[in-house]
Amino acid sequence: MGRSNSSRSIRRRRARTVGRGIKAGLAPGTMVFVGERKCERARLDILDYNAEQLSEAKDVDLNQCFEQALADNSVTWINVNGIHDLALIESLGQHFGLHPMTLEDLVNTTQRPKVEEFDHYLLVVMKMMEFERSSASISIEHISLIVGQNVVLSFLEDEGDVFDSVRERIRKGKGRIRHLSADYLAYALMDTVVDHYFRAIEQIGDRIEEIDDKILEDPSPNDIQDIHYLKRDVLSLRKAAWPCRELISAIEKGASPVLSASTRVYWRDLYDHSIQVIDMVETYRDILGGMHDTYLSSLSNRMNEVMKTLTIISSIFIPLTFIAGVYGMNFENMPELRWRLGYHGALAVMFTIGVGLLIYFRRRRWL
């Protein structure tokens, strides 16, 4: 089924990138928010835990955030919702000793996914994706992680994220997350992001099957628009997945002091997941490339069927029209003009010719 006009209008709208031109000529490390503001104000949420205890606070102030992150016997996860607040980001950077170039990357939503190692922390930049059924499209959000010895800072554009499953594991103490260090928490967050790549790809695959079946049965002009939108979504996934493979490989092979040897195996597993994502993206990219040709072929076959039917009808009526034209001239000396059964005879001849042509076309398998 083709999607509604309202859904198409939603998908035609592209996010307006704000601030890109302002950066021109500024010194490296200058903080300029590049992107679209998606929430009214920035908010800080904290999860602090170890194997025995857990504390959680939402919408806290900076002082409480700094005090919570001082404990050495626990892992602190600070989630920042809204990276448009440059003063807040700068205060966090000063407290945790973040490099100015890191702060610049945190507020630049157009930054390509990457990983950078510093003396006491690791910077990871990724793209978080979810498939929105309302508009049948993929929503993309910029996400950055700062991984320290006992702290992880996550920076998001908006309040919504895909980390509810990780929070639930921490609250209920499921798995190893409460017993391992901050780098395992970073792995869990990145693994969740990659898992949602799989979900987005699966939704795209279902949509591709629907459109493919419709193209073969009843192609319409709306199908070519749907194919174009899916191509754009797959391209967005590809842009996010390819650098993701590189950054995970760099983390797995890196020698950052914030990464423990016990988590190496998990990074290798995450690298395998990223390879699977890329393989699926490339497969669907090839399928979409062929669907355009399939659409044109279906239209051509449908037109050929229509033209064949019209040609057969025309072929049948051409001799009948000829007979009717001859006997419709009404010349006075036409020999058959005075026949009593001339009208019925002419109809019988025309009927016989029409049936004969139908039988001939069917024997030739033209019908």
Side-chain angles (χ1 to χ4, degrees):
M1 295 178 63
R3 62 174 65 88
S4 63
N5 292 332
S6 60
S7 297
R8 290 195 190 96
S9 64
I10 291 174
R11 300 207 55 184
R12 287 195 188 103
R13 292 198 298 265
R14 301 198 179 189
R16 184 171 59 94
T17 302
V18 181
R20 186 191 296 270
I22 301 176
K23 291 177 65 70
L26 297 179
T30 303
M31 291 181 61
V32 176
F33 174 63
V34 179
E36 182 182 9
R37 181 169 176 171
K38 297 183 178 180
C39 58
E40 289 298 324
R41 68 180 186 89
R43 195 186 75 182
L44 296 174
D45 298 331
I46 297 179
L47 262 173
D48 187 83
Y49 64 89
N50 55 30
E52 291 78 23
Q53 60 184 7
L54 166 69
S55 64
E56 182 176 2
K58 295 184 177 180
D59 199 8
V60 301
D61 57 26
L62 275 175
N63 293 330
Q64 183 179 351
C65 175
F66 296 154
E67 292 173 0
Q68 196 77 44
L70 290 176
D72 294 331
N73 60 346
S74 64
V75 175
T76 304
W77 174 17
I78 302 173
N79 189 49
V80 182
N81 299 301
I83 57 176
H84 60 273
D85 192 337
L86 300 184
L88 174 64
I89 304 298
E90 186 174 9
S91 297
L92 288 170
Q94 290 176 356
H95 179 80
F96 291 101
L98 304 183
H99 194 278
M101 296 298 293
T102 299
L103 299 179
E104 180 183 0
D105 291 337
L106 293 179
V107 296
N108 183 5
T109 62
T110 63
Q111 174 61 52
R112 183 177 184 268
K114 67 174 183 176
V115 60
E116 287 188 359
E117 293 184 8
F118 293 86
D119 293 336
H120 61 286
Y121 69 91
L122 197 70
L123 167 66
V124 179
V125 179
M126 299 181 70
K127 300 296 181 182
M128 184 171 62
M129 294 188 177
E130 277 193 294
F131 188 86
E132 296 181 350
R133 293 184 177 274
S134 59
S135 59
S137 64
I138 291 178
S139 63
I140 304 174
E141 185 174 348
H142 182 77
I143 174 174
S144 304
L145 300 177
I146 301 294
V147 188
Q149 288 291 348
N150 64 334
V151 64
V152 173
L153 288 82
S154 56
F155 297 85
L156 307 174
E157 296 182 63
D158 203 355
E159 294 185 0
D161 57 43
V162 298
F163 300 138
D164 287 340
S165 60
V166 178
R167 294 186 181 95
E168 196 65 21
R169 285 161 55 191
I170 295 174
R171 293 180 185 124
K172 296 183 177 181
K174 292 183 178 180
R176 306 175 179 85
I177 194 165
R178 292 276 291 270
H179 302 273
L180 296 178
S181 55
D183 60 335
Y184 185 83
L185 173 60
Y187 154 76
L189 297 177
M190 293 173 62
D191 184 57
T192 303
V193 171
V194 174
D195 286 344
H196 276 75
Y197 288 175
F198 280 109
R199 293 187 183 182
I201 293 174
E202 289 171 358
Q203 296 291 339
I204 289 177
D206 294 341
R207 185 66 184 147
I208 287 175
E209 290 182 4
E210 293 176 6
I211 297 176
D212 192 38
D213 293 340
K214 185 175 181 297
I215 286 175
L216 294 176
E217 295 175 1
D218 184 23
S220 67
N222 292 333
D223 294 332
I224 202 68
Q225 295 182 5
D226 293 336
I227 293 173
H228 169 72
Y229 294 141
L230 285 173
K231 280 184 176 181
R232 195 171 66 188
D233 287 340
V234 170
L235 181 60
S236 298
L237 264 170
R238 188 175 185 271
K239 288 181 178 179
W242 274 94
C244 186
R245 180 187 66 169
E246 299 172 4
L247 72 88
I248 294 173
S249 176
I251 293 175
E252 192 269 325
K253 296 177 182 178
S256 174
V258 302
L259 300 176
S260 59
S262 59
T263 58
R264 297 287 180 184
V265 62
Y266 301 111
W267 294 115
R268 288 197 296 269
D269 181 68
L270 185 57
Y271 178 78
D272 292 338
H273 290 176
S274 67
I275 295 295
Q276 294 176 29
V277 169
I278 292 173
D279 289 342
M280 295 176 67
V281 168
E282 292 300 322
T283 298
Y284 285 135
R285 188 185 180 201
D286 293 339
I287 292 175
L288 284 170
M291 284 180 66
H292 187 271
D293 296 335
T294 303
Y295 170 78
L296 295 178
S297 298
S298 297
L299 284 183
S300 178
N301 291 336
R302 189 178 182 186
M303 183 62 67
N304 288 339
E305 290 295 325
V306 172
M307 293 304 298
K308 183 176 72 173
T309 302
L310 294 177
T311 302
I312 289 174
I313 293 174
S314 300
S315 300
I316 292 174
F317 277 91
I318 284 175
L320 309 186
T321 304
F322 172 76
I323 294 174
V326 169
Y327 287 101
M329 291 187 292
N330 295 326
F331 289 123
E332 185 176 353
N333 295 322
M334 288 183 64
E336 297 89 358
L337 191 61
R338 302 289 182 180
W339 285 5
R340 182 179 178 184
L341 298 178
Y343 171 73
H344 299 89
L347 289 180
V349 171
M350 288 190 285
F351 178 79
T352 302
I353 292 174
V355 172
L357 287 175
L358 283 173
I359 294 173
Y360 174 76
F361 291 151
R362 187 171 294 276
R363 286 184 176 180
R364 295 297 299 269
R365 296 183 179 179
W366 294 351
L367 281 176

